Amino acid sequence: DGMNVLLIIVDDLRPVLGCYGDKLVKSPNIDQLASQSMVFSNAYAQQAVCAPSRVSFLTSRRPDTTRLYDFYSYWRVHAGNYSTMPQYFKENGYMTLSVGKVFHPGISSNYNDDYPYSWSIPPFHPSAEKHENDKTCRGKDGKLYANLVCPVDVTEMPGGTLPDIQSTEEAMRLLNIMKTNRQKFFLAVGYHKPHIPLRYPQEFLKLYPLENITLAPDPWVPKKLPSVAYNPWTDIRQRDDVKALNVSFPYGALPDDFQRQIRQSYYAAVSYLDVQVGLLLNALDNVGLSNNTIVVFTADHGWSLGEHGEWAKYSNFDVATRVPLMFYVPGMTTSPVSQGARVFPYLDPFSHIGVSAPQGQSKKVVELVSLFPTIAELAGLQVPPACPEMSFGVVLCTEGTSIVHYFNVSERMVEEGKEGYDSTDRCFKEEPFAFSQYPRPADTPQWNSDKPKLKDIRIMGYSMRTIDYRYTVWVQFDPNNFSANFEDVHAGELYMMESDPNQDYNIYYNTSH
């Protein structure tokens, strides 16, 4: 009871981490966190795009309840005055602090990151953030471009820094203040990378020689993929280096060597992120708070790296919806830590060798909409009640469910069908599943297929992931009354995870199924 919370949210991070079995990536600090944590290997976002996903997990409501599928409305005005996770902690006596990209900035969080509802003091945004899409990438000709692939010399950047470096510095400053004040805190730190542009300190390229980089295992558009399911990665096409390749829209493939460069830069950006996470966790050690702070690490969604001929997020595939998710709970995921002991010594990815295995791992399918009730339960707060079917008028409730019961119950027992019960005596014998969804403006890829505005949405792809299947139906959707018509199915997808883990062979139309 009374533990602090450090919530680390990463933008566009799929689980390419050593602790998730990736053999190429160097992520020693996140792996070290995993070695003290409960790690979920099948965690899914509710919509694979920034603002809708963040509003969903911070309010614990699904996109159909926040009514946010794009970037252009504020849920409190547009759907219902829902409490957020930080707001709930604030109302329960915590100092709540936001650093970097936690809520998506802009209209979707009322231009103020939902302050003062969610946060005790105004959220911090790094000053370097405004240069994210500027021409800061030096080309072979020595000129500056706004490229997708953008290794940089940090000293040449505006202000001599990068946003994530500034966010780490601010989070460390706040931890020092919290130590002095001795006040319970809920600190959310949102990192930008590996979101595009892939702009990171150039020395991280050394970790990933290009000859070690492979293409995606399935870099082609699957034969039986319905055209409505494909994302044409328009935001990447607008970058100077991609524009110069003149790739045909929507299905033209990027040249193999450039695909390798994107994958190399994504990995390099992940290692740069790992350093930031390492410095932040090391600072938690330095202020002596590792023994009474819950650390939660996750991402808003994944990112395709050439799988299915796609780049970016904007789809219902696992590569876009699956995220890393881990919980470090002192005394629960690890034995109690003595005051002042080092739990998270900083590890240098350039010299550290070897991967630490997760402390505990669950293959249960879980959803980000369950973050709020889970963190509340771990912190000893009352778990918000489950939402009624129509919850637009209900201020505090959850459309997820606390997953704390997966921390202790041996999975084998549940899988053998012996009943487990959580604190509300609800039986959890039923198979867990995760819902994700994605809107489209049309049945075929067009310029706004990736990010349609609400008024342009005509089809919604509802996707359900269980341990064995990924099942999706694309149905008619009316943006005026936010209603889906399941009688009007435009297309469907069904993938058998055991025989088709990459989701390349759609058997929805196969009559034997």
Side-chain angles (χ1 to χ4, degrees), residues 6 10 41 85 87 110 321-322 334 352 362 376 403 423 500 513:
L6 171 59
V10 186
S41 50
M85 173 169 28
Q87 179 183 357
N110 204 29
T321 55
R322 184 169 166 246
T334 58
H352 185 79
S362 173
I403 57 174
S423 54
D500 181 21
H513 294 280

Side-chain angles (χ1 to χ4, degrees), residues 129-365:
E129 214 172 67
K130 58 180 175 288
H131 303 294
E132 268 297 86
N133 295 305
D134 292 1
K135 296 191 172 191
T136 53
C137 322
R138 205 165 286 293
K140 290 197 172 72
D141 57 5
K143 291 186 188 142
L144 292 177
Y145 294 92
N147 285 345
L148 168 62
V149 172
C150 186
V152 297
D153 176 344
V154 177
T155 60
E156 289 180 359
M157 291 300 100
T161 187
L162 291 171
D164 287 346
I165 295 172
Q166 290 183 293
S167 291
T168 302
E169 288 163 353
E170 174 66 9
M172 288 160 72
R173 189 185 76 81
L174 289 171
L175 284 175
N176 277 306
I177 293 172
M178 288 299 104
K179 182 200 176 180
T180 318
N181 289 2
R182 300 185 163 211
Q183 190 177 1
K184 276 193 309 194
F185 63 83
F186 177 104
L187 169 60
V189 181
Y191 285 115
H192 280 267
K193 291 304 125 199
H195 192 287
I196 65 171
L198 297 169
R199 189 168 73 122
Y200 54 86
Q202 58 200 19
E203 58 269 22
F204 286 91
L205 273 176
K206 289 195 209 96
L207 295 172
Y208 302 102
L210 206 50
E211 60 270 19
N212 295 352
I213 305 294
T214 57
L215 297 179
D218 52 351
W220 61 87
V221 180
K223 276 197 191 68
K224 296 196 172 161
L225 182 71
S227 54
V228 69
Y230 181 77
N231 89 71
W233 36 281
T234 41
D235 56 349
I236 287 178
R237 296 171 193 274
Q238 290 154 16
R239 310 283 162 170
D240 292 346
D241 50 353
V242 180
K243 221 186 267 177
L245 297 168
N246 254 335
V247 180
S248 67
F249 184 91
Y251 294 114
L254 291 168
D256 286 4
D257 60 332
F258 192 72
Q259 291 195 34
R260 286 197 176 86
Q261 282 177 40
I262 298 176
R263 289 170 68 92
Q264 174 193 38
S265 274
Y266 187 91
Y267 275 95
V270 171
S271 291
Y272 157 59
L273 161 79
D274 182 77
V275 165
Q276 303 310 313
V277 172
L279 293 169
L280 176 61
L281 292 174
N282 186 53
L284 193 67
D285 269 356
N286 289 345
V287 294
L289 293 173
S290 303
N291 62 334
N292 63 344
T293 302
I294 295 162
V295 181
V296 183
F297 178 92
T298 192
D300 54 357
H301 43 70
W303 213 77
S304 306
L305 284 166
E307 294 86 1
H308 314 113
E310 296 181 327
W311 302 88
K313 47 257 185 179
Y314 315 129
S315 84
N316 280 320
F317 283 121
D318 273 28
V319 281
T321 55
R322 184 169 166 246
V323 293
L325 178 62
M326 58 189 82
F327 298 85
Y328 161 76
V329 190
M332 184 181 194
T333 60
T334 58
S335 43
V337 186
S338 56
Q339 189 74 36
R342 308 292 301 175
V343 186
F344 304 118
Y346 173 74
L347 303 174
D348 182 351
F350 291 91
S351 55
H352 185 79
I353 298 175
V355 172
S356 358
Q359 169 65 25
Q361 199 156 14
S362 173
K363 290 197 173 80
K364 291 287 180 204
V365 174

